[in-house]
DNA sequence: ATCATCCATGTAAAGGTTTACATTGTGCGA
DNA sequence: TCGCACAATGTAAACCTTTACATGGATGAT
């Protein structure tokens, strides 16, 4: 008859249980786990057996308390639903896992109270490193970075550039987008989504200007409208343009959400796209494929950003402190159906 | 002249620093924080002052280690990008926060290895409770639930119903959807997304059958196609229907993603919707608004589910153990543009 | 004046690890 | 045979809290 399997201890086993069973001291158990070469083979075997029987797993909390450092990385995002977020996460996690780190996610909702909760988490050494999504400084801007563990920003700089960040080369990407419109023959182009606060969006504006400068399009021929990067803001900007009565032949939008707003607005006004108007976005979010027409846009190299950001973070965890470093990855143009030649006058 | 502000200790202050400064014992400090009524007013003031000066925040890890329980809730999801997830999260977090708990998110990607990492996290008492998204059992199905902290499932039952879950009443919701199609005059209706594994989807199928039974639609008039709930699966099922040459007048899809696949497929074949075909979905994901035509669907009461699930979890944290309990919330029909009368023959 | 209460505070243990240092025992060279 | 080096293991402190229990002093009743 088969023996019933050994009962796993109801509340999980401690290192002491293992030591007792293996008839060694707890120090030896710890060594058998972390520096096996310092333990005699026979002892090691007994310990491993005892671990198997008890089902022991080391209490990460006690471990971190003692070591003053955990092996978790905290990723803080203002909005988990951000379509950029979920795809970047996989890159982050793969890289972390390869180095023995786990990833936890915190959702701040741009609420400083919540940010503070996570700050306490960090101050208790419950995470060894911090990743900040989309340039938000979740603890209020005055936070001293000295109290934080090693930190890397994702997509946008944080804390006035006091820390490293990994992002896309917004200027170059935007320039590619604008050049695509120019080379399709457009001359009157509107830029939708001017921002005073978001650096990335400012850079995209700059890329737009660089391309149009190079093509010698006079500044007076450029329409620039403000927007906060939401679908609604795209629609709104469109209204303003039509109120002024100066319709361009193409729209370059600061991101895909804005572009979707513009596309919807144009369709609602009876324009047939892309015959009557061309629209280009930035980001390549999943929805970009499902708009009609599918959006031509600039693709965020998401998994590359995730991988590099985590790699950078892990370096500063293990290695010595290094000066902040900005890594910009070049994005690519994705041609779909929303850009064609301008209509004949 | 203003004094320079007191330097915050470089590595964060411990309770001992506070005690020294306030000239009391660490026990008194702890009491001043947690049971202030047991500390003399004057002492309490001195302690509070010392806390302010040192910038002390209690080390959550040491606290949890001592108390054998933390005040964090872990939410485990196979796919953070799931459009249901982000909106449910807010409900969860609000409820948790109101009771002094924080929320951390783990992304399992349906990878048992990652699941195991989070299991270690739990076994170290780093989270007091667990929330499982979409019926996935991230540690492999054989895991003994005894080792887990109090756990509640979201949307679908987990561990064969051994734990409570909060979800939508899929059967009733699907019935509402089917009845909407019936009352619009449809008689030949296809159900897209039959599943052998996902219970929620099976229930939706059942709601479909109940409605059609009640309307005395013979079983032979019902088309049922398999699908795994992805956009692609919707498109695929559509192909099969056309290959068989038995087009219905309406499609009831197991979820919105499937419905989007069907809508795209129909448009690609030149059908004009909703004139030629009606389509109804389930879930009401954000994209449902941006398809053409906007999708009529059944709305998941997301924030209610989040709130209730967290409330249920918190109850079993504080109160005594209770038997597993299933809470089903009734979803509502959202009428948009994808359902009309069937075309005349 | 004596004693019992009670309030405010301190002492010390416990929670589960890791690791510097101390101890033991073995083998080897002289 | 002695002593030394080194390998294997054990002892105990430290990480930072919380809390049961002990202590001391003041208050009030008798």
């Amino acid at each position: 008859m088969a023996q019933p399997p050994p009962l796993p201890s109801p509340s999980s086993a401690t290192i002491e249980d293992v030591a007792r069973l293996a008839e060694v001291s707890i120090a030896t158990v710890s060594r058998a786990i972390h520096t096996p070469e310092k333990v005699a083979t026979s002892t090691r075997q007994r310990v491993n057996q005892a671990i198997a029987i008890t089902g022991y797993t080391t209490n990460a909390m006690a471990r971190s308390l003692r070591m003053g450092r955990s092996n978790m990385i905290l990723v803080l995002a203002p909005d988990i639903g951000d379509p950029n977020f979920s795809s970047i996460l996989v890159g982050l996690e793969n890289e972390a896992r390869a180095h023995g780190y786990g990833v936890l996610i915190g959702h701040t909702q741009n609420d400083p109270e919540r940010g503070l909760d996570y700050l306490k988490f960090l101050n208790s050494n419950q995470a060894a490193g911090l990743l900040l999504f989309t340039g938000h400084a979740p603890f209020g801007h005055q936070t001293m970075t000295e109290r934080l563990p090693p930190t890397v920003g994702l997509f946008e700089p944080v804390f006035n550039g006091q820390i490293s960040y990994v992002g896309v080369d917004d200027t170059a990407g935007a320039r590619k987008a604008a050049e695509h419109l120019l080379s399709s023959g457009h001359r009157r182009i509107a830029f939708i989504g001017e921002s005073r606060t978001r650096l990335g969006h400012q850079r995209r504006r700059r890329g737009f200007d660089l391309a149009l400068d190079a093509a010698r399009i006079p500044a007076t021929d450029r329409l620039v409208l403000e927007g906060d990067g939401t679908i609604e803001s795209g629609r709104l900007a469109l209204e303003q343009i039509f109120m002024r009565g100066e319709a361009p032949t193409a729209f370059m939008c600061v991101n895909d959400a804005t572009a979707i707003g513009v596309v919807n607005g144009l369709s609602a006004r009876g324009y047939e796209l892309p015959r009557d108007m061309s629209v280009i976005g930035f980001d390549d979010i999943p929805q970009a494929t499902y708009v009609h027409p599918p959006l031509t846009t600039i693709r965020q190299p998401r998994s590359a950003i995730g991988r590099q950001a985590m790699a950078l973070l892990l370096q500063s965890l293990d290695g010595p402190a290094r000066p902040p470093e900005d890594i910009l990855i070049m994005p690519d143009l994705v041609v779909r159906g929303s850009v064609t030649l301008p209509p004949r006058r």
Side-chain angles (χ1 to χ4, degrees), chain A:
Chain A
M1 283 215 193
Q3 291 289 327
L7 293 173
S9 48
S11 67
S12 70
T14 78
I15 200 174
E16 209 142 354
D17 300 328
V18 176
R20 200 168 17 244
L21 197 59
E23 298 179 297
V24 293
S25 76
I26 60 170
T28 302
V29 176
S30 180
R31 275 189 290 254
I33 294 170
H34 298 103
T35 52
E37 71 280 4
K38 292 193 178 177
V39 168
T41 317
S42 63
T43 325
R44 201 186 324 151
Q45 285 173 343
R46 255 183 309 141
V47 171
N48 286 336
Q49 224 170 355
I51 289 179
I53 294 177
T54 54
Y56 170 76
T57 64
T58 119
N59 182 318
M61 203 159 42
R63 176 173 216 269
S64 303
L65 176 60
R66 170 62 222 243
M67 310 248 289
R69 141 204 256 276
S70 84
N71 56 111
M72 284 284 169
I73 305 291
L74 182 65
V75 183
L76 246 31
D79 175 17
I80 300 280
D82 185 320
N84 277 324
F85 184 70
S86 69
S87 44
I88 208 177
L89 199 56
V90 176
L92 287 177
E93 287 174 331
N94 290 343
E95 186 74 16
R97 175 155 250 283
H99 293 259
Y101 286 87
V103 172
L104 286 171
I105 302 154
H107 189 210
T108 62
Q109 299 180 41
N110 270 326
D111 172 0
E113 293 282 326
R114 286 175 212 270
L116 246 29
D117 282 353
Y118 291 112
L119 184 57
K120 284 181 194 166
F121 188 81
L122 292 166
N123 278 341
S124 305
N125 289 325
Q126 291 189 89
L130 177 61
L131 245 20
L132 254 25
F133 191 68
T134 309
H136 83 313
F139 321 122
H141 274 278
Q142 82 291 6
T143 316
M144 307 139 296
T145 55
E146 328 142 22
R147 293 286 282 271
L148 293 179
T151 303
V152 169
L154 287 167
F155 286 106
E156 292 181 23
V158 205
F159 298 132
N160 303 319
Q162 288 174 58
I163 62 161
S164 300
Y165 92 102
V166 178
V168 79
D169 191 330
D170 287 296
T171 315
R175 184 160 183 170
K176 273 190 187 176
E179 281 166 354
H180 181 63
L181 292 176
L182 290 167
S183 71
S184 301
H186 294 274
R187 285 296 172 270
R188 287 190 57 80
I189 305 177
F191 180 90
I192 314 286
E194 165 97 323
S195 161
R196 295 210 195 85
T197 52
R198 299 190 60 175
L199 184 71
H201 290 188
Q202 288 168 0
R203 290 189 175 154
R204 292 179 189 180
R205 164 69 200 282
R206 186 168 151 66
F208 170 79
D209 278 338
L210 288 176
L212 269 65
D213 288 350
R216 307 198 180 279
I217 307 280
T220 50
D221 275 17
R222 306 176 196 173
L223 268 62
V224 174
L225 294 234
E226 289 197 355
D228 62 359
T230 58
I231 293 183
E232 204 41 48
S233 78
R235 213 187 290 253
L236 236 62
L238 196 66
E239 297 303 321
Q240 294 183 30
I241 286 188
F242 282 117
M243 273 179 35
R244 295 199 214 150
E246 312 176 302
T249 65
F251 294 86
M252 169 161 168
C253 301
V254 76
N255 64 10
D256 285 353
T258 303
I260 289 174
V262 169
V263 166
N264 287 349
L266 288 171
S267 300
R269 282 181 169 261
Y271 288 87
E272 170 154 350
L273 306 186
R275 195 192 61 193
D276 302 333
M277 296 267 184
S278 288
V279 178
I280 193 167
F282 200 116
D283 281 351
D284 192 22
I285 63 178
Q287 292 168 43
T289 330
Y290 302 115
V291 200
H292 186 80
L295 212 54
T296 293
T297 188
I298 300 290
R299 171 174 296 150
Q300 292 271 13
R302 287 180 254 269
S303 61
I305 292 183
R307 198 168 356 95
Q308 293 233 30
M310 184 59 82
L312 191 58
L313 179 61
L314 295 178
Q315 270 176 34
S316 48
L317 283 191
D318 301 329
R322 349 153 91 245
E325 177 183 355
D326 295 351
I327 299 183
L328 292 185
I329 302 178
M330 178 65 67
D332 289 322
L333 177 70
V334 183
V335 176
R336 295 209 180 91
S338 65
V339 174
T340 49
L341 310 183
R344 299 271 179 96
R345 276 286 155 86

